């Protein structure tokens, strides 16, 4: 089993159910030392897609899941692991403890942030509300 920190579209239960139906949602978590930027141009979302970039003193809220290795392989396909995104080891704050997890980060970042589509932005906002993340 792998602990996954999701901060973009994978926060949404609908996305995770479609790609990893046997995942286990654990709850909200925080990744310190990073911020979210829209550094990937997504064909699927027709606009910018979320990325984590180092930013001392800042943090990113997201969620953690437990995922079996075979489901993580399917998620790798969705995320374009190896050419669009790569898995990166991170430490997240979850229920008062620092836990080792993996998160996806953009490999070849756009030089400037890319405007997100309204659909993508709506999904991120709805997922954050669904998961009870801080404003």
């Amino acid at each position: 089993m792998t602990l996954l920190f999701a901060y973009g579209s994978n926060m949404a239960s609908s996305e995770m159910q479609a790609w990893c139906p046997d995942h286990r949602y654990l709850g909200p978590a925080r990744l310190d030392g990073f911020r979210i930027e829209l550094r990937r141009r997504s064909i699927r979302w027709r606009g910018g897609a979320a990325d984590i970039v180092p930013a001392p003193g800042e943090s990113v809220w997201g969620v953690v899941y437990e995922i079996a290795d075979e489901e993580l392989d399917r998620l790798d396909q969705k995320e374009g692991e190896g050419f669009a995104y790569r898995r990166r080891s991170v430490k997240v704050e979850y229920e008062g403890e620092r836990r080792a997890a993996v998160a996806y980060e953009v490999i070849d970042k756009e030089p400037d942030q890319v405007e997100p589509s309204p659909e993508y932005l709506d999904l991120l906002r709805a997922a954050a509300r669904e998961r009870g993340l801080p404003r």
Side-chain angles (χ1 to χ4, degrees), residues 4-12 25-37 50-53 55 57-65 90-98 101-104 120 123-135:
L4 171 73
F5 175 73
Y7 57 88
S9 64
N10 290 332
M11 289 189 301
Y25 172 71
L26 297 180
R30 188 184 71 236
L31 174 64
D32 293 329
F34 289 84
R35 72 171 164 251
I36 289 183
E37 293 188 1
D51 183 20
I52 49 174
V53 296
E58 297 189 38
S59 59
V60 173
W61 279 95
V63 299
V64 287
Y65 301 100
V90 295
K91 293 273 190 183
V92 296
E93 184 79 19
Y94 169 67
E95 292 190 335
E97 292 181 20
R98 294 199 27 94
V102 297
Y104 289 98
Y120 184 73
L123 177 65
L124 295 188
R125 287 179 177 148
R129 280 192 304 274
E130 172 190 16
R131 299 306 194 183
L133 299 185
R135 281 177 96 46

Side-chain angles (χ1 to χ4, degrees), residues 1-4 16 19-25 65-76 87 102 104:
M1 291 295 253
T2 298
L3 195 67
L4 171 73
M16 288 304 289
W19 290 92
C20 303
D22 295 326
H23 74 277
R24 189 172 140 220
Y25 172 71
Y65 301 100
E66 279 185 343
I67 300 180
D69 292 341
E70 57 273 4
E71 288 207 319
L72 192 58
D73 291 343
R74 285 198 296 274
L75 200 56
D76 282 350
R87 274 193 257 152
V102 297
Y104 289 98

